[in-house]
Amino acid sequence: MTRPRSHGRQVAESEFEPRASRPRLPELLEQGWRLLDEVEASSEPAAARQVQDKVKLGLSLLDQAARMVEQLDLFSRNEELEEVASADLKYLLVPALRGALTLKQVVPGQRLEQVQRARAHFADFLKRCQDYQLTAAEPPAARPAGPPGARPGLVAAAAHRRAKIERYKQKKEAESQLAALRGAVDGGRADEEQLRAYYLLHVQKWVGTSLDEIESIDQEAEILRGLHVAPRPRPGPTPMKPFVLTRDAAQAKVFGLGYPSLATMTVNEWYDQHEKWGALPDQGIPGTPAERKKEEEEEEEEEEKALQKARGWDEWKDTHPRGYGNRQNMG
C-alpha cells in the first residue's frame, strides 16, 4: 500500500533537536508505515535476517514517533474529533502500527512477552479511538485463565460471530473507499475534506484489524502460558523382558534348555537386581528388603535340609528291613 505524501499542517518542531540530527514526525510515521507494508508483502520467511532488520528499524522509528506525539500532546481526552487537524489524524495510527510490527518480531523464547506488548499497543489505539468516538468497541479485557479448550456459550459464540462478520464487512468497505481516494491524496490533489476522510478510513480499517488481532493474541497467549506451566512428562519405568524365575542355578540351566527364548534368573539374582534398582515389591511383608531376602534364604536352607533328611530316610529304609532294631518282643 502506498502512503500519501506529507502535506497539510505540519506539527511543531521547535521542541525537538535540529532536523539534521533527527527526523521529523511525519518522516518517522511515513518510514515506519512503509517498512510494515514491506514486511507484510515479503515472501521471505518471517525469521529471515532481512525481514527482521526491517521490523527492528520500523519499530525504532515508530517508537520515536510515539514519543513525539506524546510530547507534542497532539491528542487529548478533553477535545472533540473536530478539533483535531486533518493532517494530524494519521498519528492516531501510531500505536496500531507498533502493535502490528511487534507481532512480526521473531525472538526465540520471548513470544509470550511480544504478543502481550503488541496487545497493549492495539488496546491503546482502540482507547484513543473510543475517546474520540470513532468506535464504540471497548478494548477487550484480557482473557482470564481457565481450563484449556474452554468455549463460550452458544449465545456468546453467535454474537461473537456476528460481530466478526460485521467487522469484516466494514474493513472491506473502508478498503474500497481508500482505493478511490488514494490517487488524489498521493498526487497532492485532495482537498481538506478528502484528506480527512482518507485518514478516518484508515482509522476505521485499523479498528477492525486491532480487534481481530487482540482476539488472536489472547488465543495464542493462552496456548503459550499452557506450554510454560505444563509439567514435563516423567519417564515411566523401563519395561522388563519376560523371564523364568528359578530357585537355583541348576534349575536355571534346565529351564534355559527348555525355554531358549526366555531369560532365566535365580531368586537371589532377582532380588539382587531389584534391590539395585530400588524396585523391590512391598506387599505388606514386614522388614527391610535385606531382611526379607535373608528370611527367604533361611527358608530355602530349611527346605533343603528337609529334602536331604527325607532322602536320607528313604535310603535308610531301602537298606534296613521293616522292624530292624526293634528287640522289644524278642526273648
Side-chain angles (χ1 to χ4, degrees):
M1 180 188 299
T2 57
R3 297 283 152 254
R5 297 177 181 174
S6 300
H7 67 284
R9 182 180 70 84
Q10 301 294 334
V11 295
E13 301 176 21
S14 57
E15 301 178 38
F16 303 104
E17 299 175 16
R19 181 176 178 180
S21 61
R22 190 168 184 175
R24 297 181 303 117
L25 179 55
E27 295 170 352
L28 292 171
L29 176 62
E30 177 74 18
Q31 294 173 23
W33 201 345
R34 175 178 53 80
L35 287 168
L36 172 61
D37 286 344
E38 291 179 3
V39 168
E40 290 182 336
S42 176
S43 60
E44 295 289 327
R49 181 175 179 179
Q50 182 179 1
V51 174
Q52 287 303 301
D53 285 347
K54 290 183 178 181
V55 171
K56 185 177 180 180
L57 177 57
L59 280 173
S60 176
L61 295 171
L62 291 175
D63 288 348
Q64 293 180 57
R67 288 193 294 269
M68 287 189 179
V69 169
E70 186 69 22
Q71 293 174 23
L72 288 170
D73 198 19
L74 291 182
F75 306 108
S76 172
R77 294 182 179 180
N78 300 322
E79 66 180 355
E80 302 292 334
L81 182 62
E82 290 73 16
E83 300 178 57
V84 180
S86 298
D88 290 346
L89 286 174
K90 59 178 174 282
Y91 301 118
L92 283 171
L93 298 171
V94 170
L97 301 178
R98 293 174 77 193
L101 267 176
T102 300
L103 287 179
K104 302 295 183 183
Q105 285 182 299
V106 178
V107 183
Q110 298 184 22
R111 182 61 181 174
L112 181 58
E113 291 80 0
Q114 288 173 229
V115 298
Q116 290 174 332
R117 193 160 54 247
R119 191 190 195 283
H121 290 319
F122 287 124
D124 181 34
F125 167 70
L126 291 174
K127 187 65 177 67
R128 289 188 183 184
C129 292
Q130 189 184 44
D131 290 341
Y132 284 105
Q133 299 181 353
L134 289 168
T135 180
E138 290 276 353
R143 180 177 297 185
R151 297 182 178 181
L154 293 177
V155 176
H160 174 263
R161 178 175 175 79
R162 287 195 299 270
K164 201 164 187 177
I165 292 174
E166 184 62 26
R167 289 201 302 268
Y168 177 79
K169 292 179 179 178
Q170 291 176 356
K171 284 172 64 176
K172 288 299 181 182
E173 179 63 24
E175 289 174 356
S176 176
Q177 296 182 37
L178 282 169
L181 288 171
R182 184 168 295 114
V185 174
D186 288 349
R189 302 185 304 274
D191 57 26
E192 178 74 12
E193 185 177 350
Q194 289 176 316
L195 187 65
R196 192 172 190 83
Y198 184 79
Y199 289 127
L200 287 176
L201 285 169
H202 273 297
V203 170
Q204 180 182 338
K205 175 186 173 183
W206 276 98
V207 165
T209 298
S210 297
L211 290 169
D212 289 341
E213 292 290 7
I214 287 179
E215 180 180 331
S216 298
I217 286 170
D218 287 345
Q219 293 174 355
E220 182 179 354
E222 185 176 8
I223 295 173
L224 291 170
R225 291 190 191 98
L227 293 175
H228 279 277
V229 301
R232 296 181 179 178
R234 299 178 64 180
T238 304
M240 296 181 63
K241 296 181 179 180
F243 62 89
V244 176
L245 185 64
T246 64
R247 183 173 296 281
D248 52 36
Q251 289 184 356
K253 293 180 180 179
V254 173
F255 280 106
L257 293 173
Y259 302 91
S261 61
L262 294 178
T264 58
M265 185 182 301
T266 67
V267 172
N268 289 342
E269 290 172 341
W270 185 87
Y271 264 95
D272 289 339
Q273 186 181 88
H274 281 67
E275 186 175 22
K276 180 180 178 181
W277 292 344
L280 279 171
D282 185 359
Q283 299 177 345
I285 303 175
T288 64
E291 292 172 344
R292 291 198 295 269
K293 180 181 178 182
K294 183 178 180 181
E295 291 176 2
E296 188 73 23
E297 291 174 346
E298 290 175 352
E299 290 177 5
E300 291 177 15
E301 186 176 345
E302 290 176 1
E303 289 177 3
E304 186 66 26
K305 288 179 180 179
L307 179 61
Q308 294 296 331
K309 184 177 181 180
R311 288 175 178 174
W313 175 249
D314 289 340
E315 292 173 359
W316 188 88
K317 288 192 299 181
D318 289 340
T319 57
H320 295 75
R322 183 179 179 84
Y324 175 84
N326 185 358
R327 298 290 187 268
Q328 182 178 357
N329 298 323
M330 296 181 63

